[in-house]
Amino acid sequence: MSLVFGKPRAGSGPQSAPLEVNLAILGRRGAGKSALTVKFLTRRFISEYDPNLEDTYSSEETVDHQPVHLRVMDTADPDTPRNCERYLNWAHAFLVVYSMDSRQSFKDSSSYLELLALHAKETQRSSPALLLGNKLDMAQYRQVTKAEGAALAGKFGCLFFEVSACLDFEHVQHVFHEAVREARRELEKHSLPRPLFISEERALPHQAPLTARHGLASCTFNTLSTVSLKEMPAVAQAKLVTVKSSRAQSKRKAPALTLLKGFKIF
Ligand SMILES: Nc1nc2c(ncn2[C@@H]2O[C@H](COP(=O)(O)OP(=O)(O)OP(=O)(O)O)[C@@H](O)[C@H]2O)c(=O)[nH]1
């Protein structure tokens, strides 16, 4: 019996093996990627994170009565996306986050969506993306209207939500579960277990810089046939951390302590 997140998995036979879904959270620094990830995993809003750490978290979820083993990569690109292969070839779906009080953050989310569209074109394989306008609680300072967010999402054919990492958990959970549903639809379409993971250090001399086309300064793209591939779950560059939910924690007598991006959560 597995006790990830403190609750027993429904069944353990092969028939009830959970669906494996990898989600990557993308966006400009400060958009709220970590805050949303932590909110989803722990129901808590934590205000400060180390911006340089990138972690992949693991969570057992139930979406539409189906068990799902969800991995969430909270990416930490520097000012411009770099070594994007680590998530482009790993994730089944993407949450692209901007902060509605920052026009620049919105522009960067557009660049990320373009990056995903280009990757889909070049690999002939699309992964769903959801656009999230974060910090809804700061709506009085918004620099990006809801209509602009919806228009950008419409341009790239993705779902759009305005959210807040410090408001209700249910809405944030709904968004993550929508991403799982989108990923599941795509997986069912191709009925292929996806992920291949490309090591970052194997950049090739002829790799085509996406930056030239997308203004993403140091992001490079390799085709699958030209780089060394490792099968998942060897997520080499990201530390995999299993996080216990607050729901699970409340059921435990001893105070649970989990390390998230260098922060202790009690
Ligand atoms: N008011 C408000 N603040 C938020 C929200 N989400 C995040 N923040 C704050 O915005 C700042 C940046 O949040 P992070 O979650 O670190 O943003 P990030 O996208 O992970 O940024 P990097 O780690 O630098 O890539 C922090 O001070 C958060 O407390 C939100 O929904 N509302």
Side-chain angles (χ1 to χ4, degrees):
M1 183 168 73
S2 167
L3 280 174
V4 176
F5 263 54
K7 56 185 176 188
R9 263 186 214 164
S12 53
Q15 281 159 354
S16 60
L19 181 73
E20 306 263 333
V21 173
N22 299 339
L23 281 187
I25 322 287
L26 311 178
R28 184 182 174 81
R29 280 188 165 198
K33 301 180 294 295
S34 303
L36 285 169
T37 303
V38 170
K39 179 76 170 197
F40 170 64
L41 294 170
T42 71
R43 294 177 175 240
R44 292 165 195 226
F45 174 69
I46 294 168
S47 59
E48 292 304 327
Y49 302 92
D50 182 337
N52 301 310
L53 292 178
E54 178 166 286
D55 279 322
T56 299
Y57 304 102
S58 171
S59 166
E60 299 301 322
E61 296 292 317
T62 302
V63 181
D64 305 331
H65 309 291
Q66 182 182 23
V68 177
H69 182 76
L70 180 62
R71 294 188 196 87
V72 182
M73 185 190 290
D74 174 18
T75 65
D77 275 327
D79 288 339
T80 49
R82 191 169 293 163
N83 296 321
C84 319
E85 302 84 8
R86 73 187 186 282
Y87 47 76
L88 287 177
N89 294 295
W90 174 82
H92 299 104
F94 298 89
L95 292 177
V96 178
V97 183
Y98 68 87
S99 173
M100 65 176 68
D101 66 349
S102 161
R103 171 70 41 189
Q104 187 58 50
S105 152
F106 183 61
K107 280 189 191 153
D108 285 7
S109 70
S110 174
S111 300
Y112 272 108
L113 289 171
E114 283 176 28
L115 170 72
L116 297 178
L118 178 67
H119 181 252
K121 196 171 163 200
E122 300 215 8
T123 58
Q124 304 278 300
R125 191 176 55 189
S126 67
S127 297
L130 287 74
L131 180 64
L132 306 186
N134 189 34
K135 307 193 187 179
L136 185 55
D137 57 293
M138 307 269 281
Q140 68 270 34
Y141 302 111
R142 72 158 78 226
Q143 292 183 6
V144 183
T145 65
K146 190 171 183 180
E148 286 176 303
L152 181 61
K155 181 176 162 195
F156 289 94
C158 52
L159 294 177
F160 170 64
F161 298 92
E162 288 196 331
V163 291
S164 167
C166 56
L167 295 179
D168 59 313
F169 162 75
E170 282 71 21
H171 189 44
V172 173
Q173 184 192 44
H174 172 73
V175 167
F176 276 77
H177 283 191
E178 280 294 287
V180 169
R181 290 185 185 101
E182 292 282 299
R184 185 172 56 197
R185 266 192 284 278
E186 199 62 30
L187 283 167
E188 282 167 0
K189 238 193 259 172
H190 303 291
S191 64
L192 285 174
R194 166 86 167 272
L196 292 169
F197 190 77
I198 300 184
S199 48
E200 292 178 38
E201 66 274 19
R202 298 298 298 268
L204 296 181
H206 65 275
Q207 58 201 176
L210 284 171
T211 36
R213 284 167 279 181
H214 296 273
L216 300 174
S218 29
C219 187
T220 55
F221 168 71
N222 294 320
T223 59
L224 290 180
S225 58
T226 56
V227 295
S228 79
L229 303 177
K230 297 175 187 171
E231 285 191 13
M232 282 297 294
V235 184
Q237 281 75 25
K239 190 175 65 175
L240 190 67
V241 184
T242 298
V243 192
K244 296 177 179 67
S245 72
S246 55
R247 216 175 340 154
Q249 286 171 6
S250 66
K251 288 186 186 163
R252 296 162 79 95
K253 293 236 161 52
L257 186 146
T258 308
L259 206 59
L260 279 170
K261 284 206 161 189
F263 276 76
K264 289 173 183 172
I265 302 169
F266 296 92

